[in-house]
Amino acid sequence: SFPLLQAARKRNSLNLLELSEAELEEQFVRGDGPGGQATNKTNNCVVLKHIPSGIVVKCHQTRSVEKNRKIAREILQEKVDLFYKGEDSDVFKEKKASEKQKQEKKRRAKENLERKKLFKEMQQLDKE
């Protein structure tokens, strides 16, 4: 199992709780990480806090403040939805379904590998 809030940022969720701007606290700070002068001299990193739940999101995915604001709101909306709805959240259900698909894909790949090994062994025996 995995922490609930880490399931956020999985797109196709339509049934999310709405956020009101009055509940949000927004700051613009200098980003960190690689990028040199482009990151160190511009305040294009967005820190968004949902006051009622205390959830904080930091977004510095692009150099554009507007794009970062939009992305931060999307991530925050999904995290708030997870916070209040828990396992009933669409985001959580999507994450669970994708984990299941991933495990199934791994299992099939492993089976195919075993079949190939067995086939090669049979070919070796036929040659001898």
Side-chain angles (χ1 to χ4, degrees):
S1 83
F2 45 87
L4 276 180
L5 293 182
Q6 287 186 358
R9 200 66 182 131
K10 301 295 166 199
R11 286 281 165 189
N12 308 323
S13 303
L14 301 173
N15 191 20
L16 298 176
L17 293 173
E18 290 298 317
L19 298 178
S20 72
E21 288 296 317
E23 296 177 334
L24 302 179
E25 187 178 288
E26 187 173 42
Q27 288 180 308
F28 303 102
V29 296
R30 288 196 178 118
D32 55 358
Q37 183 176 358
T39 356
N40 300 336
K41 287 194 174 182
T42 57
N43 291 338
N44 56 6
C45 179
V46 177
V47 178
L48 203 56
K49 180 178 181 178
H50 184 250
I51 298 167
S53 66
I55 296 173
V56 177
V57 170
K58 186 175 181 181
C59 181
H60 188 227
Q61 294 181 10
T62 68
R63 291 174 65 183
S64 164
V65 176
E66 287 306 312
K67 286 181 185 174
N68 286 336
R69 289 180 75 203
K70 184 175 186 258
I71 294 168
R73 277 170 172 68
E74 290 171 1
I75 296 170
L76 185 66
Q77 186 177 24
E78 291 178 4
K79 287 194 177 202
V80 167
D81 190 69
L82 275 167
F83 182 77
Y84 287 115
K85 291 183 180 176
E87 292 184 10
D88 294 332
S89 171
D90 288 347
V91 179
F92 183 80
K93 290 175 185 173
E94 279 183 29
K95 176 70 174 176
K96 205 80 157 147
S98 72
E99 283 291 319
K100 210 173 206 175
Q101 283 178 340
K102 197 174 182 180
Q103 287 175 352
E104 181 63 24
K105 194 173 180 181
K106 271 186 178 180
R107 186 188 62 76
R108 282 195 306 258
K110 198 173 183 180
E111 283 178 1
N112 284 340
L113 192 62
E114 289 295 322
R115 277 194 215 110
K116 285 180 183 177
K117 282 183 183 178
L118 193 62
F119 182 72
K120 283 187 179 182
E121 288 174 7
M122 295 293 278
Q123 280 185 329
Q124 288 294 332
L125 289 174
D126 287 347
K127 286 183 181 178
E128 292 176 1

